Amino acid sequence: MTRTTVEMPLRSLVEHLRIRVAACARRYVLGIAGPPGAGKSTLSKSIRDELNLRAGCVIAEIAPMDGFHLPNAVLRATGDLERKGEPHTFDVDGYLETLRRLRDTPIGETVPWPTFDRAIEEPTPAGVVFGGHEIAITEGNYLLLDERESSPWSRVRALLDEVWYLDVDRDVIEHRLIRRHIRGGRSVDAARIKVHDSDLPNAGLIAGTRDRADLVLRQREGRYYAAQA
Ligand SMILES: Nc1ncnc2c1ncn2[C@@H]1O[C@H](COP(=O)(O)OP(=O)(O)OP(=O)(O)O)[C@@H](O)[C@H]1O
Ligand SMILES: [Mg+2]
């Protein structure tokens, strides 16, 4: 099977969503999955802002999976601080429960959602509060992870209306992550070790979930392309 790619301008992605959201009786939940550094947060913000702009009011907000990072004190106590970002370093049960609430609570009633403060590398409780939003964009690494049915991550997909997978070349990810760790205070060597021992093996695990996505997007030079069979 040969795969070609077609450019997917933001307005096409947003138009597709507007049709799906209009046909949905409750809050619509879009998932954006992909490896660390792929650009999930950037794409989510662009989609949210474009949806709100087109609607002329606030209809979309982001519900980051990153808000469910376990606090550093917990990871320190379990010896997992250097493995932060791996599947077991998140409160997955909290994510599932809050996702279910976000999806099932009538539009107009409040649902608090935690965000993640990269400056201190800690979650912020109720960093965002959903209310009248018709669409929630939940973005993170492990939305499509179900390598073991016993893993609680395997229950995420059923709570999402559709999932996009965002991909970029491995060397781009590597470069972005090393730069990010250095900006976060690590030495060049420590940044490289973190990326090679933890982030890139994670990216490999996540790449194995790509085929479960409804849409695979590749990001190249600031543009998005969809893979077509
Ligand atoms: N479309 C784009 N064009 C150019 N640079 C981009 C684009 N999207 C993301 N980037 C850059 O890539 C880096 C990572 O982006 P972002 O934080 O959105 O990734 P992420 O997938 O959310 O990462 P993480 O999983 O670690 O949260 C940022 O420096 C961002 O500026
Ligand atoms: Mg992000």
Side-chain angles (χ1 to χ4, degrees), residues 83 86-88 92 141-157 201-202 204-210 212:
R83 305 188 63 183
E86 297 183 26
H88 69 283
V92 58
N141 297 145
Y142 304 121
L143 312 190
L144 294 169
L145 197 67
D146 72 348
E147 87 278 34
R148 283 172 295 123
E149 280 188 7
S150 58
S151 162
W153 289 109
S154 67
R155 297 202 290 274
V156 173
R157 178 62 187 91
N202 257 348
L205 174 72
I206 296 159
T209 73
R210 181 175 36 213
R212 296 193 195 108

PDB file of all heavy atoms in Angstrom, residues 83 86-88 92 141-157 201-202 204-210 212:
ATOM      1  N   ARG A  83      12.049   9.557  35.701  1.00  0.00           N
ATOM      2  CA  ARG A  83      11.250   8.864  34.676  1.00  0.00           C
ATOM      3  C   ARG A  83       9.965   9.610  34.389  1.00  0.00           C
ATOM      4  O   ARG A  83       9.080   9.097  33.708  1.00  0.00           O
ATOM      5  CB  ARG A  83      10.982   7.438  35.149  1.00  0.00           C
ATOM      6  CG  ARG A  83      12.293   6.719  35.470  1.00  0.00           C
ATOM      7  CD  ARG A  83      12.082   5.280  35.750  1.00  0.00           C
ATOM      8  NE  ARG A  83      11.551   4.598  34.575  1.00  0.00           N
ATOM      9  CZ  ARG A  83      11.221   3.314  34.566  1.00  0.00           C
ATOM     10  NH1 ARG A  83      11.379   2.596  35.644  1.00  0.00           N
ATOM     11  NH2 ARG A  83      10.730   2.766  33.469  1.00  0.00           N
ATOM     12  N   GLU A  86       6.763   9.143  31.752  1.00  0.00           N
ATOM     13  CA  GLU A  86       6.434   7.783  31.336  1.00  0.00           C
ATOM     14  C   GLU A  86       5.013   7.442  31.816  1.00  0.00           C
ATOM     15  O   GLU A  86       4.485   8.111  32.719  1.00  0.00           O
ATOM     16  CB  GLU A  86       7.486   6.802  31.894  1.00  0.00           C
ATOM     17  CG  GLU A  86       8.864   7.099  31.321  1.00  0.00           C
ATOM     18  CD  GLU A  86       9.949   6.123  31.766  1.00  0.00           C
ATOM     19  OE1 GLU A  86       9.618   4.968  32.091  1.00  0.00           O
ATOM     20  OE2 GLU A  86      11.122   6.528  31.782  1.00  0.00           O
ATOM     21  N   PRO A  87       4.373   6.426  31.215  1.00  0.00           N
ATOM     22  CA  PRO A  87       2.952   6.175  31.510  1.00  0.00           C
ATOM     23  C   PRO A  87       2.622   6.040  32.999  1.00  0.00           C
ATOM     24  O   PRO A  87       1.573   6.507  33.445  1.00  0.00           O
ATOM     25  CB  PRO A  87       2.678   4.855  30.770  1.00  0.00           C
ATOM     26  CG  PRO A  87       3.648   4.840  29.646  1.00  0.00           C
ATOM     27  CD  PRO A  87       4.890   5.527  30.155  1.00  0.00           C
ATOM     28  N   HIS A  88       3.536   5.426  33.777  1.00  0.00           N
ATOM     29  CA  HIS A  88       3.210   5.174  35.191  1.00  0.00           C
ATOM     30  C   HIS A  88       3.397   6.422  36.063  1.00  0.00           C
ATOM     31  O   HIS A  88       3.165   6.360  37.269  1.00  0.00           O
ATOM     32  CB  HIS A  88       4.060   4.014  35.734  1.00  0.00           C
ATOM     33  CG  HIS A  88       5.516   4.362  35.854  1.00  0.00           C
ATOM     34  ND1 HIS A  88       6.367   4.403  34.771  1.00  0.00           N
ATOM     35  CD2 HIS A  88       6.274   4.709  36.925  1.00  0.00           C
ATOM     36  CE1 HIS A  88       7.568   4.749  35.176  1.00  0.00           C
ATOM     37  NE2 HIS A  88       7.540   4.945  36.477  1.00  0.00           N
ATOM     38  N   VAL A  92      -3.563   8.257  36.050  1.00  0.00           N
ATOM     39  CA  VAL A  92      -4.434   7.876  34.929  1.00  0.00           C
ATOM     40  C   VAL A  92      -5.887   7.698  35.372  1.00  0.00           C
ATOM     41  O   VAL A  92      -6.826   8.020  34.626  1.00  0.00           O
ATOM     42  CB  VAL A  92      -3.872   6.637  34.182  1.00  0.00           C
ATOM     43  CG1 VAL A  92      -3.713   5.465  35.094  1.00  0.00           C
ATOM     44  CG2 VAL A  92      -4.739   6.281  32.988  1.00  0.00           C
ATOM     45  N   ASN A 141       0.293  12.263  25.416  1.00  0.00           N
ATOM     46  CA  ASN A 141       1.070  11.172  24.812  1.00  0.00           C
ATOM     47  C   ASN A 141       0.303   9.850  24.686  1.00  0.00           C
ATOM     48  O   ASN A 141       0.459   9.125  23.710  1.00  0.00           O
ATOM     49  CB  ASN A 141       2.321  10.887  25.654  1.00  0.00           C
ATOM     50  CG  ASN A 141       3.285  12.053  25.725  1.00  0.00           C
ATOM     51  OD1 ASN A 141       3.928  12.276  26.736  1.00  0.00           O
ATOM     52  ND2 ASN A 141       3.384  12.809  24.649  1.00  0.00           N
ATOM     53  N   TYR A 142      -0.508   9.534  25.707  1.00  0.00           N
ATOM     54  CA  TYR A 142      -0.926   8.129  25.846  1.00  0.00           C
ATOM     55  C   TYR A 142      -2.403   7.865  25.579  1.00  0.00           C
ATOM     56  O   TYR A 142      -2.954   6.893  26.067  1.00  0.00           O
ATOM     57  CB  TYR A 142      -0.550   7.650  27.261  1.00  0.00           C
ATOM     58  CG  TYR A 142       0.907   7.823  27.548  1.00  0.00           C
ATOM     59  CD1 TYR A 142       1.357   8.599  28.612  1.00  0.00           C
ATOM     60  CD2 TYR A 142       1.860   7.233  26.713  1.00  0.00           C
ATOM     61  CE1 TYR A 142       2.705   8.778  28.852  1.00  0.00           C
ATOM     62  CE2 TYR A 142       3.211   7.413  26.940  1.00  0.00           C
ATOM     63  CZ  TYR A 142       3.631   8.184  28.010  1.00  0.00           C
ATOM     64  OH  TYR A 142       4.968   8.359  28.237  1.00  0.00           O
ATOM     65  N   LEU A 143      -3.052   8.723  24.786  1.00  0.00           N
ATOM     66  CA  LEU A 143      -4.493   8.579  24.565  1.00  0.00           C
ATOM     67  C   LEU A 143      -4.843   7.272  23.839  1.00  0.00           C
ATOM     68  O   LEU A 143      -5.964   6.783  23.949  1.00  0.00           O
ATOM     69  CB  LEU A 143      -5.031   9.758  23.740  1.00  0.00           C
ATOM     70  CG  LEU A 143      -4.645  11.179  24.163  1.00  0.00           C
ATOM     71  CD1 LEU A 143      -5.459  12.194  23.398  1.00  0.00           C
ATOM     72  CD2 LEU A 143      -4.821  11.376  25.659  1.00  0.00           C
ATOM     73  N   LEU A 144      -3.893   6.731  23.090  1.00  0.00           N
ATOM     74  CA  LEU A 144      -4.198   5.542  22.274  1.00  0.00           C
ATOM     75  C   LEU A 144      -3.465   4.298  22.771  1.00  0.00           C
ATOM     76  O   LEU A 144      -3.403   3.281  22.084  1.00  0.00           O
ATOM     77  CB  LEU A 144      -3.807   5.814  20.812  1.00  0.00           C
ATOM     78  CG  LEU A 144      -4.621   6.901  20.112  1.00  0.00           C
ATOM     79  CD1 LEU A 144      -3.985   7.287  18.780  1.00  0.00           C
ATOM     80  CD2 LEU A 144      -6.054   6.434  19.894  1.00  0.00           C
ATOM     81  N   LEU A 145      -2.929   4.398  23.980  1.00  0.00           N
ATOM     82  CA  LEU A 145      -2.106   3.303  24.505  1.00  0.00           C
ATOM     83  C   LEU A 145      -2.993   2.171  25.011  1.00  0.00           C
ATOM     84  O   LEU A 145      -3.788   2.370  25.913  1.00  0.00           O
ATOM     85  CB  LEU A 145      -1.272   3.854  25.671  1.00  0.00           C
ATOM     86  CG  LEU A 145      -0.074   3.051  26.136  1.00  0.00           C
ATOM     87  CD1 LEU A 145       1.002   3.045  25.061  1.00  0.00           C
ATOM     88  CD2 LEU A 145       0.495   3.663  27.421  1.00  0.00           C
ATOM     89  N   ASP A 146      -2.862   0.993  24.412  1.00  0.00           N
ATOM     90  CA  ASP A 146      -3.608  -0.129  25.004  1.00  0.00           C
ATOM     91  C   ASP A 146      -2.883  -1.440  24.748  1.00  0.00           C
ATOM     92  O   ASP A 146      -3.464  -2.429  24.363  1.00  0.00           O
ATOM     93  CB  ASP A 146      -5.061  -0.169  24.525  1.00  0.00           C
ATOM     94  CG  ASP A 146      -5.175  -0.601  23.068  1.00  0.00           C
ATOM     95  OD1 ASP A 146      -4.131  -0.635  22.392  1.00  0.00           O
ATOM     96  OD2 ASP A 146      -6.281  -0.913  22.644  1.00  0.00           O
ATOM     97  N   GLU A 147      -1.583  -1.404  24.983  1.00  0.00           N
ATOM     98  CA  GLU A 147      -0.795  -2.603  24.703  1.00  0.00           C
ATOM     99  C   GLU A 147      -1.176  -3.749  25.633  1.00  0.00           C
ATOM    100  O   GLU A 147      -1.031  -4.903  25.294  1.00  0.00           O
ATOM    101  CB  GLU A 147       0.709  -2.285  24.717  1.00  0.00           C
ATOM    102  CG  GLU A 147       1.402  -2.347  26.056  1.00  0.00           C
ATOM    103  CD  GLU A 147       1.225  -1.091  26.896  1.00  0.00           C
ATOM    104  OE1 GLU A 147       0.171  -0.444  26.842  1.00  0.00           O
ATOM    105  OE2 GLU A 147       2.146  -0.796  27.659  1.00  0.00           O
ATOM    106  N   ARG A 148      -1.668  -3.420  26.818  1.00  0.00           N
ATOM    107  CA  ARG A 148      -2.167  -4.451  27.738  1.00  0.00           C
ATOM    108  C   ARG A 148      -3.585  -4.046  28.105  1.00  0.00           C
ATOM    109  O   ARG A 148      -3.814  -2.914  28.497  1.00  0.00           O
ATOM    110  CB  ARG A 148      -1.330  -4.476  29.025  1.00  0.00           C
ATOM    111  CG  ARG A 148       0.004  -5.153  28.876  1.00  0.00           C
ATOM    112  CD  ARG A 148       0.831  -4.952  30.136  1.00  0.00           C
ATOM    113  NE  ARG A 148       1.155  -3.542  30.335  1.00  0.00           N
ATOM    114  CZ  ARG A 148       0.853  -2.849  31.418  1.00  0.00           C
ATOM    115  NH1 ARG A 148       0.224  -3.413  32.419  1.00  0.00           N
ATOM    116  NH2 ARG A 148       1.171  -1.579  31.524  1.00  0.00           N
ATOM    117  N   GLU A 149      -4.524  -4.980  27.951  1.00  0.00           N
ATOM    118  CA  GLU A 149      -5.906  -4.592  28.249  1.00  0.00           C
ATOM    119  C   GLU A 149      -6.092  -4.239  29.702  1.00  0.00           C
ATOM    120  O   GLU A 149      -7.025  -3.524  30.067  1.00  0.00           O
ATOM    121  CB  GLU A 149      -6.868  -5.707  27.825  1.00  0.00           C
ATOM    122  CG  GLU A 149      -7.114  -5.637  26.331  1.00  0.00           C
ATOM    123  CD  GLU A 149      -8.187  -6.564  25.867  1.00  0.00           C
ATOM    124  OE1 GLU A 149      -8.845  -7.172  26.718  1.00  0.00           O
ATOM    125  OE2 GLU A 149      -8.345  -6.672  24.644  1.00  0.00           O
ATOM    126  N   SER A 150      -5.182  -4.741  30.561  1.00  0.00           N
ATOM    127  CA  SER A 150      -5.307  -4.440  31.993  1.00  0.00           C
ATOM    128  C   SER A 150      -4.865  -3.002  32.283  1.00  0.00           C
ATOM    129  O   SER A 150      -5.130  -2.471  33.350  1.00  0.00           O
ATOM    130  CB  SER A 150      -4.446  -5.405  32.800  1.00  0.00           C
ATOM    131  OG  SER A 150      -3.109  -5.279  32.366  1.00  0.00           O
ATOM    132  N   SER A 151      -4.172  -2.364  31.321  1.00  0.00           N
ATOM    133  CA  SER A 151      -3.692  -1.004  31.557  1.00  0.00           C
ATOM    134  C   SER A 151      -4.869  -0.028  31.541  1.00  0.00           C
ATOM    135  O   SER A 151      -5.678  -0.046  30.612  1.00  0.00           O
ATOM    136  CB  SER A 151      -2.695  -0.624  30.465  1.00  0.00           C
ATOM    137  OG  SER A 151      -2.551   0.777  30.433  1.00  0.00           O
ATOM    138  N   PRO A 152      -4.967   0.838  32.576  1.00  0.00           N
ATOM    139  CA  PRO A 152      -6.080   1.799  32.585  1.00  0.00           C
ATOM    140  C   PRO A 152      -6.046   2.735  31.383  1.00  0.00           C
ATOM    141  O   PRO A 152      -7.085   3.228  30.962  1.00  0.00           O
ATOM    142  CB  PRO A 152      -5.888   2.563  33.898  1.00  0.00           C
ATOM    143  CG  PRO A 152      -4.538   2.205  34.415  1.00  0.00           C
ATOM    144  CD  PRO A 152      -4.111   0.943  33.751  1.00  0.00           C
ATOM    145  N   TRP A 153      -4.868   2.947  30.761  1.00  0.00           N
ATOM    146  CA  TRP A 153      -4.795   3.818  29.578  1.00  0.00           C
ATOM    147  C   TRP A 153      -5.685   3.289  28.462  1.00  0.00           C
ATOM    148  O   TRP A 153      -6.181   4.053  27.628  1.00  0.00           O
ATOM    149  CB  TRP A 153      -3.355   3.928  29.066  1.00  0.00           C
ATOM    150  CG  TRP A 153      -2.464   4.728  29.953  1.00  0.00           C
ATOM    151  CD1 TRP A 153      -1.451   4.258  30.742  1.00  0.00           C
ATOM    152  CD2 TRP A 153      -2.491   6.155  30.162  1.00  0.00           C
ATOM    153  NE1 TRP A 153      -0.868   5.294  31.419  1.00  0.00           N
ATOM    154  CE2 TRP A 153      -1.471   6.460  31.080  1.00  0.00           C
ATOM    155  CE3 TRP A 153      -3.275   7.181  29.654  1.00  0.00           C
ATOM    156  CZ2 TRP A 153      -1.222   7.771  31.504  1.00  0.00           C
ATOM    157  CZ3 TRP A 153      -3.039   8.480  30.080  1.00  0.00           C
ATOM    158  CH2 TRP A 153      -2.021   8.762  30.992  1.00  0.00           C
ATOM    159  N   SER A 154      -5.901   1.975  28.429  1.00  0.00           N
ATOM    160  CA  SER A 154      -6.704   1.393  27.343  1.00  0.00           C
ATOM    161  C   SER A 154      -8.168   1.844  27.417  1.00  0.00           C
ATOM    162  O   SER A 154      -8.913   1.639  26.471  1.00  0.00           O
ATOM    163  CB  SER A 154      -6.623  -0.138  27.371  1.00  0.00           C
ATOM    164  OG  SER A 154      -7.275  -0.607  28.536  1.00  0.00           O
ATOM    165  N   ARG A 155      -8.566   2.457  28.538  1.00  0.00           N
ATOM    166  CA  ARG A 155      -9.965   2.902  28.665  1.00  0.00           C
ATOM    167  C   ARG A 155     -10.171   4.347  28.192  1.00  0.00           C
ATOM    168  O   ARG A 155     -11.283   4.850  28.196  1.00  0.00           O
ATOM    169  CB  ARG A 155     -10.423   2.761  30.126  1.00  0.00           C
ATOM    170  CG  ARG A 155     -10.413   1.306  30.589  1.00  0.00           C
ATOM    171  CD  ARG A 155     -11.324   1.084  31.772  1.00  0.00           C
ATOM    172  NE  ARG A 155     -10.839   1.685  32.995  1.00  0.00           N
ATOM    173  CZ  ARG A 155      -9.983   1.086  33.823  1.00  0.00           C
ATOM    174  NH1 ARG A 155      -9.521  -0.122  33.545  1.00  0.00           N
ATOM    175  NH2 ARG A 155      -9.576   1.697  34.916  1.00  0.00           N
ATOM    176  N   VAL A 156      -9.101   5.018  27.802  1.00  0.00           N
ATOM    177  CA  VAL A 156      -9.220   6.426  27.384  1.00  0.00           C
ATOM    178  C   VAL A 156      -9.967   6.545  26.058  1.00  0.00           C
ATOM    179  O   VAL A 156     -10.885   7.371  25.915  1.00  0.00           O
ATOM    180  CB  VAL A 156      -7.826   7.092  27.271  1.00  0.00           C
ATOM    181  CG1 VAL A 156      -7.948   8.494  26.678  1.00  0.00           C
ATOM    182  CG2 VAL A 156      -7.128   7.131  28.623  1.00  0.00           C
ATOM    183  N   ARG A 157      -9.615   5.704  25.090  1.00  0.00           N
ATOM    184  CA  ARG A 157     -10.134   5.872  23.717  1.00  0.00           C
ATOM    185  C   ARG A 157     -11.657   5.921  23.663  1.00  0.00           C
ATOM    186  O   ARG A 157     -12.243   6.696  22.897  1.00  0.00           O
ATOM    187  CB  ARG A 157      -9.592   4.745  22.818  1.00  0.00           C
ATOM    188  CG  ARG A 157     -10.102   4.789  21.379  1.00  0.00           C
ATOM    189  CD  ARG A 157      -9.673   6.069  20.679  1.00  0.00           C
ATOM    190  NE  ARG A 157     -10.276   6.242  19.366  1.00  0.00           N
ATOM    191  CZ  ARG A 157     -11.420   6.888  19.137  1.00  0.00           C
ATOM    192  NH1 ARG A 157     -12.118   7.381  20.158  1.00  0.00           N
ATOM    193  NH2 ARG A 157     -11.868   7.032  17.911  1.00  0.00           N
ATOM    194  N   PRO A 201      12.687   6.410  24.119  1.00  0.00           N
ATOM    195  CA  PRO A 201      11.981   5.122  24.264  1.00  0.00           C
ATOM    196  C   PRO A 201      10.476   5.318  24.395  1.00  0.00           C
ATOM    197  O   PRO A 201       9.672   4.563  23.827  1.00  0.00           O
ATOM    198  CB  PRO A 201      12.580   4.534  25.557  1.00  0.00           C
ATOM    199  CG  PRO A 201      13.931   5.162  25.666  1.00  0.00           C
ATOM    200  CD  PRO A 201      13.803   6.538  25.069  1.00  0.00           C
ATOM    201  N   ASN A 202      10.045   6.369  25.095  1.00  0.00           N
ATOM    202  CA  ASN A 202       8.618   6.702  25.199  1.00  0.00           C
ATOM    203  C   ASN A 202       8.027   6.986  23.846  1.00  0.00           C
ATOM    204  O   ASN A 202       6.915   6.562  23.538  1.00  0.00           O
ATOM    205  CB  ASN A 202       8.465   8.031  25.969  1.00  0.00           C
ATOM    206  CG  ASN A 202       8.030   7.782  27.353  1.00  0.00           C
ATOM    207  OD1 ASN A 202       7.641   6.687  27.685  1.00  0.00           O
ATOM    208  ND2 ASN A 202       8.076   8.821  28.149  1.00  0.00           N
ATOM    209  N   GLY A 204       8.965   5.885  21.087  1.00  0.00           N
ATOM    210  CA  GLY A 204       8.839   4.611  20.365  1.00  0.00           C
ATOM    211  C   GLY A 204       7.563   3.876  20.774  1.00  0.00           C
ATOM    212  O   GLY A 204       6.829   3.351  19.933  1.00  0.00           O
ATOM    213  N   LEU A 205       7.301   3.879  22.068  1.00  0.00           N
ATOM    214  CA  LEU A 205       6.080   3.240  22.592  1.00  0.00           C
ATOM    215  C   LEU A 205       4.842   3.909  21.991  1.00  0.00           C
ATOM    216  O   LEU A 205       3.895   3.245  21.549  1.00  0.00           O
ATOM    217  CB  LEU A 205       6.073   3.382  24.128  1.00  0.00           C
ATOM    218  CG  LEU A 205       4.825   2.922  24.866  1.00  0.00           C
ATOM    219  CD1 LEU A 205       4.738   1.398  24.864  1.00  0.00           C
ATOM    220  CD2 LEU A 205       4.847   3.427  26.318  1.00  0.00           C
ATOM    221  N   ILE A 206       4.877   5.234  21.956  1.00  0.00           N
ATOM    222  CA  ILE A 206       3.730   6.010  21.469  1.00  0.00           C
ATOM    223  C   ILE A 206       3.560   5.795  19.956  1.00  0.00           C
ATOM    224  O   ILE A 206       2.430   5.678  19.464  1.00  0.00           O
ATOM    225  CB  ILE A 206       3.913   7.503  21.821  1.00  0.00           C
ATOM    226  CG1 ILE A 206       3.911   7.670  23.346  1.00  0.00           C
ATOM    227  CG2 ILE A 206       2.817   8.366  21.193  1.00  0.00           C
ATOM    228  CD1 ILE A 206       4.573   8.944  23.836  1.00  0.00           C
ATOM    229  N   ALA A 207       4.683   5.695  19.232  1.00  0.00           N
ATOM    230  CA  ALA A 207       4.592   5.485  17.774  1.00  0.00           C
ATOM    231  C   ALA A 207       3.822   4.206  17.448  1.00  0.00           C
ATOM    232  O   ALA A 207       3.124   4.131  16.440  1.00  0.00           O
ATOM    233  CB  ALA A 207       5.995   5.437  17.170  1.00  0.00           C
ATOM    234  N   GLY A 208       3.904   3.234  18.340  1.00  0.00           N
ATOM    235  CA  GLY A 208       3.176   1.975  18.152  1.00  0.00           C
ATOM    236  C   GLY A 208       1.667   2.138  18.252  1.00  0.00           C
ATOM    237  O   GLY A 208       0.918   1.205  17.930  1.00  0.00           O
ATOM    238  N   THR A 209       1.192   3.289  18.694  1.00  0.00           N
ATOM    239  CA  THR A 209      -0.255   3.508  18.837  1.00  0.00           C
ATOM    240  C   THR A 209      -0.835   4.306  17.660  1.00  0.00           C
ATOM    241  O   THR A 209      -2.035   4.531  17.598  1.00  0.00           O
ATOM    242  CB  THR A 209      -0.577   4.285  20.150  1.00  0.00           C
ATOM    243  OG1 THR A 209      -0.190   5.670  20.015  1.00  0.00           O
ATOM    244  CG2 THR A 209       0.137   3.690  21.346  1.00  0.00           C
ATOM    245  N   ARG A 210       0.035   4.724  16.747  1.00  0.00           N
ATOM    246  CA  ARG A 210      -0.367   5.631  15.660  1.00  0.00           C
ATOM    247  C   ARG A 210      -1.511   5.065  14.807  1.00  0.00           C
ATOM    248  O   ARG A 210      -2.434   5.785  14.432  1.00  0.00           O
ATOM    249  CB  ARG A 210       0.859   5.910  14.794  1.00  0.00           C
ATOM    250  CG  ARG A 210       0.605   6.852  13.634  1.00  0.00           C
ATOM    251  CD  ARG A 210       1.898   7.164  12.923  1.00  0.00           C
ATOM    252  NE  ARG A 210       2.769   6.007  12.895  1.00  0.00           N
ATOM    253  CZ  ARG A 210       4.088   6.057  12.943  1.00  0.00           C
ATOM    254  NH1 ARG A 210       4.714   7.201  13.006  1.00  0.00           N
ATOM    255  NH2 ARG A 210       4.799   4.951  12.913  1.00  0.00           N
ATOM    256  N   ARG A 212      -3.996   3.431  15.493  1.00  0.00           N
ATOM    257  CA  ARG A 212      -5.337   3.445  16.092  1.00  0.00           C
ATOM    258  C   ARG A 212      -6.025   4.801  15.929  1.00  0.00           C
ATOM    259  O   ARG A 212      -7.172   4.962  16.318  1.00  0.00           O
ATOM    260  CB  ARG A 212      -5.254   3.132  17.590  1.00  0.00           C
ATOM    261  CG  ARG A 212      -4.755   1.751  17.839  1.00  0.00           C
ATOM    262  CD  ARG A 212      -4.978   1.319  19.284  1.00  0.00           C
ATOM    263  NE  ARG A 212      -4.171   0.156  19.503  1.00  0.00           N
ATOM    264  CZ  ARG A 212      -3.076   0.147  20.233  1.00  0.00           C
ATOM    265  NH1 ARG A 212      -2.706   1.234  20.878  1.00  0.00           N
ATOM    266  NH2 ARG A 212      -2.359  -0.940  20.333  1.00  0.00           N
TER     267      ARG A 212
END
